[in-house]
Amino acid sequence: MKKYFFIVIIGLLALGSCKKWLDITPKSQVASDDLFQTEEGFEEALNGVYMRCGQPDLYGGELTFGFLDVMAQNYTLSTIIDPLHYLQTQKFNFKDAYFISRKNNIWDGIYNAIVNVNLILAHIDQQKHIFTGNNYSLIKGEALALRGYLHFDIFRMFGSGPDNAGKKVGIPYVTTYSNKVTVTSSPGDVIKKVLEDLNAAKEMLESVDPIRTSSYIVGYPGGDSSTENASPALFLQNRRNRLNYYAVCGELARVYLYEGDKTDALSNASEVIDSHKFPWTNQADFINIDPATQDRVLYKELIFGWYIPWEAQDLKNRFQSGTAGLYASPSDIQTIYETNGTGGEDLRYKEWFQVGIDGNMLFQKYKRNPNGTEDDPAANLYPLTAPALRLSEMYYIAAECSYDANPAKALDYLNEVRRHRGMGQPLNVSDKNEFINELVKEARKELYGEGQIFYMYKRLNKSITGQSGSLIPAGDNIFIIPMPNDEIEFGKR
Amino acid sequence: MIHLLPGRSRERLYCKFLLQKFFILSLILFISTYRPAAGAQASDVARFTFSLKDVSLVTVFDQIQKHSSYRILYNADLVKELGNVSVTVKEAPIEIVMNKCISGKPLKYSLSGNTIVISYPSHPERAKQDLTTSSKDTTLPVTGRVVSAGSGEPLIGASVKWKGTTQGTITNGQGNFSLPVSTGSHILTVSYIGFQTKDVEVDVRPGGPLTIDLTASSATLGEVVISTGYQEINKESYTGTAITVSGEDLKKVNPQSILQSLQVFDPSFKIVQNNLAGSDPNQLPNINVRGSTALPGGSNTGIISRNNLAGTVNMPTFILDGYEVNVQKIFDLDINRVKSVTLLKDAAATAVYGSRAANGVVVIVTKPPKEGKLQLSYNYELNVTTPDLTAYHVLNASQKLEYEKLAGLYISENNPALSQDQLDDIYYHKKELVLSGVNTDWLVQPLRTTFGQKHSVYLEGGSPAFRYGLSLRYQTSPGVMKGSKRNRYSTDLDLSYNIHDKLLFKNTISITKTNSQSSPYGNFADYVGMNPYYPKTDTAGHILQVVDSWTDRSRNGTINITPVLNPMYNATLGSFNKSEYLEIIDAFSTDWTIVRGLRLKGLISVNQTRATGDNFVSPFANAFYFYPTDALNKRGSYDYNNNTQTSVDGTLTLSFNRRINKNFINLVIGSNMRTYLSDLKAISAIGFTNDHFSDIGFANSYATGSTPYSDVQQERLIGAFTSLNYSYNDKYLLDFTFREDGASKFGANKRVAPFTALGLGWNIYKEDFMQGSIFSRLKIRASTGLTGSVSFSPYMARATYNYYLNNWYATGAGAIVNDYGNKNLQWQKTRDYDLGMEIGFLDDRLLIMPRYYYKLTHGLIADVTLPPSTGFSTYKDNIGDMRNAGWELNFQYNVIRAKNFNLNLTANLVSNKNTIVRISDALKAYNTRVDSAQKDPGNIGAPLLHYQEGQSLNTIYAVRSLGIDPEDGKEIYVKKDGTLTYDWNAQDIVPVGNAEPKVEGYFGASIRYKQFNLNFNFYTRLGGQQYNQTLVDRVENADPRYNVDSRVFDDKWKAPGDLTFYKNIADLGQTQVSSRFVQSDNELELQSLYLSYDAKKSFYSKFGMESLRFAFTMNDAWRWSSIRQERGIDYPYARSFTFSLMTNF
């Protein structure tokens, strides 16, 4: 009899002791633990972050040519028909439902991207052994860079500006994948952490980023002498669609300038400029009349841009359908661009704006070759990209950082950009104030529809020149976007 | 006192005896078949010469066999007992040898060919003599089987003893017993609780196994053994709440649906009313037991309308013959296969199912084949269903046109688009139609009276060792909407092999195929809205696609002409919407009786279901009528899906079942594992050229923005459990259950969940002091326990990644994390308290069984709001408590019990109160969203579901209303602070009613007169409320362009002083949700009526039949309700009539 009991007990134990058996890998989804078992998994997770950021609620829309440029008063909005519901956003009505929904989506979306970065960083060190080549450093470096980049943008929107007089508003700097609340960091701490992550990234990427090799030549895909698609590994191609070494330098220049550390800002901006990796766009390409071969976005000068071919149709609707989309009235556009004198020669105004049938100016920077299919990069000179960092911004940063020490050098930087935009006549200024005004004016022209100019106004605590030349006074009421209610309530901010 | 068999030796002896008996039996069978041949070669060949002194007969027989071709069949043990012999023969033929061998012994032999069978003489006198002469140890035990007289089911644990002695035993798991013969008695007394005690006189020897059938002592008592799926427990000693219903009784209530009829026996088992789906034969029911224990939103907290609460996830667990199945299996199961259904409700009964137990467990046992000669049962059913349109009261053509005129459709003030002349033209055009006799009854167009058929055949038979059963079923269930149907075909093969009642192997293979089809006529609601003056065909009799048009002016000033499309047109096209599945189940079990009372049982079942769905919409269908000209190549659509579900369920149990003195112990320990894998693949294609090329291969492209879709879900569960049912002297009862479950659904940190339950009971009427009282039964019992439920999707507790499938990034594919996988996510825990009594009078002819229960569910799965800086806005956690408390009452009264006439009355009533005790912040925030959603055009005038602590899930939320102000025809609302206003505001929404009835249940009677049986059951519901949506949508806010409820002619406010229910007739605004439309909901329904006639033996035996019964059943035949509301919106309700014939050959 004992024998039988024994058999039964063994049987029960055998069934009862397989806890592992209960761990199931979902087939149509991927468990995080499984994803991070392979190098490809890390690559896909990293690509996933870039893709998340390229969605229309973030850099594939609002943060590049939507929300932020509306607040920077770049577009004319009809008070009668407001199809995209931007009218109240333009008026800084922070209680408007559409404004609230957009800024909440931005906050949620960026932190969602950040948590994806944090998951990579949480797994990468214990899996270091699975990586081949330089992929460990490349992925970890980019992940750190993304964390800094994204936090910095969140801070530039929801935190207080460097020169504001009111209360200091920080943001949570999140470094974990958890349901626990991360405490709010002070503005100084945020900048410190951003710089930590970016500098760590710079260090990791310095020796491993293929873009640093001389054989990596930036250009149009498939055309000229570009080697951007030369790598046999897709993951190592198109470095400019990811946070490459120079993009990290450029971002560092931005952050140092924001902090007021002009020395470090200048050195990082100079590193990009002096690398001569990013050539100025040929004027012939810029003004080419063949839509298939015209380079309106000045692609070669991009240090970093989000790859967003899936936005082609949305962009077409956004800018191409006259009063139903975002446009500028002729008078408004003339407060930004000059039409007479030296400024009148500006190629950007000529190539980026077209008079529509209703007399309004339609924005053409992202126009695609109408004969190509929507998302076929081959039908255009360059793939559809949301510019994030460009060479001209490095010149502007260098100019701003140099002015105090060497005004002539500063003007040289500025005139260099102007020259490449068709304005041969060098600019002269009498004082710093005038210089800054010219710099902002120049940057606003250059970075139209790229989501950067709002940050510049905020950094300089400068009043924004609005429609028909009206001035919107600088202040926390327009520069500090309130955090989402859920964040305040459940994060106890 | 029952004397128990002592040692093991007897056990072994008995076993050996059986083994030999079995052997002999088969040999005899074999030899007798070939007798002529065998006889020819036997004869005088062998002559024996030997001399053996003082040896056992066995040795003698051995020698004979060794040296000849004779085979001697005998019982060695018995023969040994007879002592030694001395035999000397010379040249003797076998007959002489044998005679010498057995001379002086109580043996006989028979010679058949060259086979010799040694046996005991069968004369009883001789047997008694033998008994007295041989010592006690040499006697053979009496063996047999105790079964229920009605069903032939074995009775487990029945007491068998020699009358007037203390020697006795109880039957084992197969109902078998073995009892040593007694010196004192030759009459066996067989007794079993709930059955009449029977005395059987026994031929002690040689005695083949006896079959003793017991008759149930009281017809009202019903089943006496409760099957929990893991254990068979005597109802008398059980403290859990379980309702057992035999398949036969279920069939009397509703032969078409097991689930429908089960709720008659226990209204706590409630099929949730689905007012949209009506009597759609393809609609799977939603069920909850003793109230809802989950939030209807479940995982998604989308806005839910009160009228559309179909998505409730609250299903009980279904166990079929020991393994878990889904509700679809029971829905499509042949009712003729069902032996019994047991509904386990409280923790004491369900805790053995641990994490699956909280919503109740339904245990279904199918009929095992009966031994005996080949028996064929045949069952035929003709099921007639007719649509029930009594809830619909629409206008006829002339009334409708009159209403349109009254509603001002033809006054140019209301129609600035058109001049009065044009409007008059339209009116007279319609008037002409009406006068010419066009009065289409649109309601009946998609409907029909249907005839469904069912043939079931069951073949069974076999020996005690080997039994077989084969069932075949063909069943068609057409629905009352033309073209809708559900056809089921199934076959089951049961084989069982029983080795000496020690080891039982059983295998059941069951194959079911179901084909279902939706009606091409579409939604019934489309027909309800059609105006009766629209002609449905042209003069040539062809179905029209466009029957009329409406003209109005849009907001921007353009004139719109909207064609009115004929919903019948769709049915003339080649569209189809069908699905089918093929299910194969194989269940294999072994049951090993290690020693008497101790059994080891293993069961493994494999279930695979392959389902496909095909939905083709013709490019000419109304749905594509409005497609612009540049999208003509996108017309027509095809949705295809393929789902394969595989589950494996294995159970191993060791059970111990024994009476030791006054202690009765029924203990089971076991383990159970289950895996489930569902693999769904689906694609949607669009662009078809015409009706004929309806294969998906003709599609032009994938549906816009869609890609192939797949979803794989996998679940694993493992559990170990023990359950004890103990009684002392049949008076003091105890049940204890413990189960530990591990499930893949649980979070990684909470993989293992313990569940326990304890029940105590007292059979007061068995106490000495109760003898002679008026109570024939008085039992009180109480139980408590903790059970679980896991009503969330399999991967909720894990961090998972999804790929961006449509696009790649410039540097490859991207994956993104879905959610915060809560590793601490666990099962919902339900704490259950149950108190019950059983009171019987008049020899249990009157039985009253009240019960009270209190269920508190902790840790409802709900969204918890996170600060979005964590990367997620919500995650799942166990937040929220819900309470269900209520009482149940079963009443049975056997009013008349006579040979030819029997009358029983029954009533089963329940009352449940649901209360939301605690909810999460996310759900509170949901209420705010609901308030604003109440303003969306789709939701105005329809109450939405709210979650409020202290309220019920069934609470109706609206703004309080004092009715229509006679002064100005406006509705007077009561604000939250009690002040009155004309302005409706979502902020003032408060609970205004509760859809949960105060009492609901069934009552009825069963009457038997000679061979006639009449059974009927009424359903009733009292004390709840309903929001009458029909009054809002189809009366007060009726859109005059569509056909409406006839109450539109009821008084509306027209001039100051009018006291009316409805608002100002001139007010064309949409009525907001208010308490004005909350009406009390009382209902009485004749749920079922059954009449049967058993033919006389003299009649059916002419045809070689063994029984013949005719029956007629009516379901949902008559209904009264205090609320006049349209019901069966998308699919009408139906009445059902079934004629059936049952016979045995």
Side-chain angles (χ1 to χ4, degrees), chain A residues 15 21 30 44 47 241 487, chain B residues 716 718 801 803 809 811 869:
Chain A
L15 280 175
W21 184 71
V30 178
E44 283 156 5
N47 284 331
N241 287 129
E487 188 62 43
Chain B
R716 281 177 183 167
I718 188 161
Y801 273 81
Y803 282 81
Y809 199 67
T811 56
S869 61

Side-chain angles (χ1 to χ4, degrees), chain A residues 315-383:
Chain A
L315 273 173
K316 190 177 164 194
N317 296 338
R318 187 178 283 252
F319 298 116
Q320 299 296 312
S321 43
T323 49
L326 288 174
Y327 64 94
S329 70
S331 61
D332 284 341
I333 210 69
Q334 279 162 28
T335 63
I336 299 171
Y337 295 92
E338 294 147 285
T339 45
N340 296 314
T342 316
E345 293 159 18
D346 195 337
L347 291 172
R348 293 172 296 201
Y349 175 68
K350 289 176 186 162
E351 297 304 325
W352 287 348
F353 294 91
Q354 194 182 39
V355 186
I357 45 169
D358 55 359
N360 284 318
M361 308 301 288
L362 304 182
F363 184 48
Q364 308 274 304
K365 196 178 204 171
Y366 300 108
K367 189 180 178 183
R368 309 295 287 162
N369 170 15
N371 302 320
T373 52
E374 287 157 16
D375 51 359
D376 176 11
N380 289 285
L381 190 57
Y382 54 89

Side-chain angles (χ1 to χ4, degrees), chain B residues 290 292-294 345-347 350-351 354 357-360 755-756 784-789 827-833 854-860 882-884:
Chain B
R290 283 184 166 178
S292 197
T293 58
K345 293 193 289 190
D346 69 338
T350 62
N359 294 330
F755 303 97
T756 48
T784 181
L786 186 72
T787 54
S789 63
W827 50 100
Q828 298 183 171
K829 293 173 189 156
T830 300
R831 168 62 66 182
D832 200 311
Y833 301 92
Y854 180 94
K855 265 169 56 166
L856 186 62
T857 305
H858 280 293
L860 296 179
M882 182 135 44
R883 183 173 64 222
N884 282 285

Side-chain angles (χ1 to χ4, degrees), chain B residues 590-608:
Chain B
T590 53
D591 189 338
W592 175 27
T593 308
I594 301 167
V595 294
R596 196 170 45 78
L598 184 67
R599 290 161 70 203
L600 180 67
K601 211 173 155 181
L603 167 72
I604 185 147
S605 78
V606 181
N607 180 342
Q608 186 167 71

